[in-house]
Amino acid sequence: MTTSLTDVGLYTEGGHRDLWAWLRQNEPVRWEPLPSRPGEGFWAVTRYADVERVLRDSDTFTSEQGTLVNLLGKGDPAAGRQLAATDPPQHDRLRLPLNEALHTRAIGSLEPDVRAGVRRLLEPGLDGGPFDFAAAMRRLPMIAMTPLLGLPEGDTDELIRLVSMCNAEEDPDHQIGGDVQETLKHGHRELFAYFTDLIRDRRRRPTDDVIGLMLAARVDGEPFSVSSIISNCYSMLLGASGTLPHVPTAAVAHLAPIGGYRAWAADRDQLGNGIEEALRWATPASNFMRYTRRSVVMHGVSIPSGSPVVAYLGSANFDPDVFVDPERFDVARSPNRHLGFGVGRHYCVGSHLARFVLRILFQEMFASIDDVTVVEPVVRFQSTFLNGIKQLTVVASPTDRALRQAGA
Ligand code: HEM
């Protein structure tokens, strides 16, 4: 198959899953040239076992030269300071305080705020009229990130705009002057400037949120550098905002037209398993990059030292060698060893928070919405990284409880 993994149109039209299936079967390690930069490219791996190997084996595959394809050939200026771009042992030191701050115990206190925020997001959809579910879900991560990082409420819209420039820079809706690189640079610059100001302020007026925790933390007796705190705030905001919205949108877009939403909503025992299946199905961050530290042979293909290797998590999550009937959204699937949060040392540090928010979201959806009808064609993001839906117009059928509450 000649279609390229770098062709953004493939993802917009939804043909990427067919290409992944073909590659898993016929070309599990493929050299993928970059059309915009002659002579450059990356090795793509699409099978579950290979994706797992690349992500787990940080001795062979380093994260310190960038983990996103848009950094290919440029290196990562955040290496050694930002969690995602740092190898062990420094990675483990950086991760410890974030792990604690984002652990289940620490985030439990956010529940009332998150639940109230989720209800506010769903409310406009309960009047029986068309409702852009994807637009509502874009605000979901900020419901948790605002109290977690102690961000001013009024900054939400601007932060969502800047994050979209960094996560889906290929999408024309977010571009500056139609230029992908300029869009990325602008988003990065503005977000770094935002957190620089915020942290300067926090040093004068300490708080007990995650930024306060990072400012107070000591790693081997040394404080975190300010640049490291800025970089990690950026990473958390992007990590949360780029991914969370696409789990419920992918689930609703697929399940609603086949009666699956109504069935899942009526089967509360499958809340947890269904959320894991939605994470597998959506795999919002569809690929991550590493560089080889030494030459490696995979499936008889020799990959030289210093080469970029891109692991397609999205493809791994549909690998029939691991998932029975992978093209079926099975809310009861168990076990479900999906790689939606990655695997190994860089396993998503926000996974507890993500599961916590998704649980509240689906509880509230099932309590207030019996069924959903998709009433307009679904519009997908134009991105080779972010697997997500930009517009999902639905009409929701409120539950009796929601109708009673509206009446009251
Ligand atoms: C459904 C939601 C989410 C998905 C699907 C997701 C996915 C991922 C994946 C696949 C990785 C591994 C990257 C790699 O191996 O290079 C990762 C790492 C990371 N995620 Fe998430 N994420 C989600 C939510 C969040 C949230 C809510 C936060 C912040 C609070 C967050 C912050 C991070 C950070 C900082 C890392 C780097 C961890 C490390 O390198 O040790 N993510 N995420």
Side-chain angles (χ1 to χ4, degrees):
M1 209 182 234
T2 51
T3 322
S4 166
L5 284 162
T6 63
D7 175 4
V8 75
L10 186 73
Y11 301 84
T12 322
E13 303 305 323
H16 53 291
R17 292 240 295 257
D18 293 339
L19 176 59
W20 289 343
W22 189 90
L23 288 171
R24 283 195 305 268
Q25 185 75 31
N26 300 290
E27 211 180 342
V29 182
R30 171 200 258 202
W31 173 252
E32 195 64 74
L34 281 188
S36 56
R37 284 152 58 184
E40 291 187 53
F42 57 85
W43 296 95
V45 299
T46 41
R47 284 192 189 163
Y48 186 102
D50 300 326
V51 169
E52 187 178 21
R53 174 179 171 195
V54 168
L55 297 185
R56 267 194 199 285
D57 182 359
S58 49
D59 288 341
T60 308
F61 301 95
T62 170
S63 292
E64 296 210 346
Q65 291 179 50
T67 60
L68 300 178
V69 178
N70 62 28
L71 286 170
L72 198 141
K74 299 180 198 159
D76 192 336
R81 283 182 286 126
Q82 190 183 96
L83 202 55
T86 302
D87 291 331
Q90 172 67 353
H91 171 265
D92 304 354
R93 291 190 202 108
L94 284 180
R95 183 156 168 137
L96 202 67
L98 283 190
N99 235 353
E100 278 172 25
L102 295 171
H103 202 268
T104 322
R105 275 191 322 276
I107 57 183
S109 61
L110 299 177
E111 168 145 12
D113 280 352
V114 173
R115 200 170 285 284
V118 163
R119 285 184 183 159
R120 275 197 303 277
L121 286 187
L122 296 177
E123 201 182 279
L126 301 178
D127 66 1
F131 170 58
D132 185 351
F133 183 66
M137 290 303 105
R138 275 200 283 287
R139 308 185 75 79
L140 179 68
M142 293 308 291
I143 289 177
M145 296 312 285
T146 297
L148 198 81
L149 295 177
L151 306 176
E153 299 262 357
D155 295 351
T156 298
D157 288 332
E158 180 60 2
L159 288 173
I160 291 177
R161 193 179 73 85
L162 294 174
V163 159
S164 306
M165 287 183 181
C166 302
N167 270 332
E169 70 280 8
E170 291 145 312
D171 196 282
D173 278 8
H174 311 125
Q175 270 176 22
I176 297 187
D179 185 327
V180 172
Q181 290 309 323
E182 197 39 49
T183 306
L184 256 181
K185 262 194 243 158
H186 182 86
H188 282 220
R189 225 180 9 240
E190 294 289 310
L191 281 173
F192 271 77
Y194 177 87
F195 281 116
T196 305
D197 288 348
L198 194 77
I199 287 157
R200 192 176 297 136
D201 181 60
R202 291 300 160 76
R203 292 180 91 184
R204 284 196 298 266
R205 291 186 294 120
T207 45
D208 60 359
D209 47 46
V210 172
I211 294 183
L213 200 136
M214 283 195 282
L215 280 166
R218 294 288 175 274
V219 177
D220 295 340
E222 294 292 318
F224 269 92
S225 69
V226 170
S227 63
S228 169
I229 299 177
I230 295 170
S231 205
N232 283 305
C233 285
Y234 168 89
S235 187
M236 280 190 281
L237 190 69
L238 242 68
S241 308
T243 51
L244 258 176
H246 305 303
V247 179
T249 48
V252 167
H254 176 72
L255 291 177
I258 56 171
Y261 175 90
R262 178 181 277 280
W264 185 18
D267 187 356
R268 304 291 165 87
D269 289 348
Q270 297 304 351
L271 184 68
N273 283 341
I275 289 172
E276 293 308 310
E277 182 68 340
L279 283 159
R280 178 186 79 87
W281 193 263
T283 321
S286 75
N287 53 76
F288 279 101
M289 187 169 70
R290 301 289 190 259
Y291 274 76
T292 48
R293 288 177 199 269
R294 55 178 176 82
S295 59
V296 203
V297 177
M298 292 178 89
H299 299 285
V301 177
S302 183
I303 303 180
S305 176
S307 305
V309 176
V310 178
Y312 282 83
L313 283 65
S315 171
N317 279 344
F318 285 83
D319 189 334
D321 283 349
V322 178
F323 301 97
V324 178
D325 203 0
E327 298 294 332
R328 193 161 80 87
F329 191 122
D330 177 4
V331 295
R333 189 180 293 278
S334 177
N336 189 342
R337 295 192 297 122
H338 70 77
L339 300 180
F341 287 124
V343 68
R345 285 199 141 87
H346 290 279
Y347 183 82
C348 179
V349 72
S351 60
H352 297 293
L353 180 67
R355 287 189 167 112
F356 168 81
V357 173
L358 290 172
R359 195 167 189 72
I360 294 176
L361 172 72
F362 280 103
Q363 278 170 348
E364 290 298 324
M365 276 172 66
F366 295 158
S368 59
I369 300 171
D370 270 334
D371 205 357
V372 176
T373 310
V374 179
V375 292
E376 281 180 23
V378 172
V379 182
R380 295 180 52 79
F381 267 109
Q382 289 194 35
S383 171
T384 49
F385 166 66
L386 198 69
N387 187 21
I389 291 173
K390 181 157 70 170
Q391 194 184 319
L392 179 62
T393 310
V394 300
V395 167
S397 313
T399 56
D400 291 343
R401 189 186 107 166
L403 287 172
R404 274 198 307 277
Q405 275 170 354

